[in-house]
Amino acid sequence: MTGASRRSLLLGAAGAGLALPGLARAQAQYRPEYKLSVVGNRPIPFAEGAFQWAELVTQRSGGRINVKVYPGSQLVGGDQTRELVAMRQGVIDFSVFSTINIAPQVREVGLFQLPFLMPNHKALDALIGGEVGRDIFGVMERREVVPLAWGENGFREISNSKRAIRTPADLRGMKIRFAAGAIFSDIYNTLGANPVQMSFADLQPALSTGAVDGQENPINLFLAFRMDTLAQKHLTVWNYVNDPLIFCLSRSVWNSFTDADKQLVRECAEEAGRNQIALTRRGLGLDGGDDSSMQELRRRGVEVTVLTAQEKAEFARATRPVYEKWSQTVGAELVRKAEAAIRAATA
């Protein structure tokens, strides 16, 4: 067949809506590797969700979409707050974003950091599984990224080396590390503590040397990183904020995939997200179930203080000025929608 004949055949097939063998593959020029960035590493649930997503996509695409995980936010020099910017710059292709880490760039996800907005997991599920979650995904799409599924890093509990925390007064004078976000500085200043922002990589040596007295993180991270060996002998379960995760990829990468592969990537993200949420909640004794994580804390000699509803309400009252201030930043209408969804779910 001459070159002219081949071109005529291709043009004729395209005009007739036919697919020649190999033509669809030729139209989808995939890269040898796609980079997925995530904070931390296995075995923590946060990172596990990212690894599962990468593995599912790679396996189910037959290696056509080869996703490699770069843990510890190494593609951004360990600074997890730069992952969204790096994705928009083309440095990162896939990521599982912490809503805390991207809140400085996407003000609407700061909703989840409003102190004591969500009393329990039912409240969180009502947000990420309903209209609020869809609204936030719409906001993400306007940042040139494609959100596909929700995950969860967990409710953030507070630990320290000094004493049990049961009232706002117990926090006075304590140096408490937080990861990112000016709202956390406001929360701890309001409670009389001394907030210190630092990366997770710097946290462990800071705890071991006493440079900070305490920190706030989900229980699964406390256990995985053995913070009980870093002088963290007191842990209070207060559920003051949660850190939902968003499984995302860059708009340019998404647009390069065929429709069938887009569906494959989405389904893998949703499956990994469900698994990740289940891992995060395992062992917390929810609804009277498996409480192995709580038992492990006590086995390690950690004094666990679980606040009552009345005690949480005292903290909520103390931090209400922070809640009202940051509601304006998040968006008053989105906050009202979230409050209504939570009331309906927890009534």
Side-chain angles (χ1 to χ4, degrees), residues 223-271:
L223 290 171
F225 289 97
R226 298 201 62 88
M227 291 183 184
D228 53 290
T229 66
L230 302 173
Q232 299 298 284
K233 294 301 184 183
H234 308 277
L235 183 142
T236 292
V237 178
W238 62 343
N239 290 7
Y240 85 123
V241 300
N242 200 306
D243 184 20
L245 309 175
I246 304 180
F247 289 65
C248 285
L249 70 161
S250 79
R251 171 68 64 187
S252 62
V253 170
W254 176 256
N255 288 343
S256 74
F257 292 156
T258 65
D259 288 345
D261 282 339
K262 288 176 182 176
Q263 184 63 23
L264 181 152
V265 171
R266 182 185 299 276
E267 289 174 355
C268 291
E270 291 171 346
E271 181 176 336

Side-chain angles (χ1 to χ4, degrees), residues 44-238:
I44 65 171
F46 189 154
E48 181 65 32
F51 276 95
Q52 285 194 19
W53 187 23
E55 290 163 359
L56 288 170
V57 170
T58 302
Q59 292 166 6
R60 292 179 184 175
S61 70
R64 187 174 60 258
I65 306 173
N66 177 36
V67 184
K68 180 179 177 180
V69 180
Y70 289 80
S73 302
Q74 61 186 274
L75 296 175
V76 288
D79 183 357
Q80 61 261 41
T81 64
R82 293 183 53 237
E83 285 181 323
L84 176 58
V85 173
M87 177 174 283
R88 297 178 69 183
Q89 293 172 338
V91 176
I92 292 171
D93 304 312
F94 290 63
S95 188
V96 180
F97 290 133
S98 155
T99 49
I100 289 175
N101 290 336
I102 65 172
Q105 294 93 40
V106 186
R107 61 180 177 83
E108 289 84 357
V109 301
L111 173 76
F112 302 106
Q113 289 105 60
L114 293 179
F116 301 97
L117 167 67
M118 299 163 288
N120 51 38
H121 287 94
K122 286 183 179 179
L124 173 64
D125 290 344
L127 298 185
I128 64 176
E131 187 178 357
V132 168
R134 292 190 292 273
D135 287 351
I136 290 174
F137 271 19
V139 171
M140 295 294 295
E141 288 168 356
R142 294 195 290 275
R143 300 300 199 282
E144 292 304 310
V145 301
V146 180
L148 298 180
W150 287 98
E152 183 195 353
N153 193 24
F155 275 104
R156 302 181 75 85
E157 318 301 4
I158 188 167
S159 69
N160 77 95
S161 60
K162 301 293 186 182
R163 55 185 172 269
I165 296 172
R166 192 174 286 278
T167 70
D170 294 326
L171 268 163
R172 287 178 189 158
M174 278 195 196
K175 298 186 293 292
I176 304 294
R177 175 264 182 181
F178 69 98
I183 187 172
F184 291 98
S185 182
D186 284 354
I187 289 170
Y188 287 103
N189 277 322
T190 297
L191 292 172
N194 296 322
V196 181
Q197 182 177 358
M198 64 176 60
S199 70
F200 193 79
D202 293 333
L203 172 60
Q204 289 168 289
L207 291 176
S208 64
T209 62
V212 295
D213 300 314
Q215 60 85 47
E216 47 83 62
N217 258 307
I219 287 173
N220 70 79
L221 286 178
F222 185 101
L223 290 171
F225 289 97
R226 298 201 62 88
M227 291 183 184
D228 53 290
T229 66
L230 302 173
Q232 299 298 284
K233 294 301 184 183
H234 308 277
L235 183 142
T236 292
V237 178
W238 62 343

Side-chain angles (χ1 to χ4, degrees), residues 280-300:
T280 293
R281 298 181 184 182
R282 188 169 64 188
L284 298 180
L286 302 178
D287 300 319
D290 171 25
D291 66 346
S292 56
S293 293
M294 306 302 290
Q295 292 299 328
E296 178 64 13
L297 287 169
R298 296 183 174 95
R299 188 189 69 77
R300 295 185 188 181

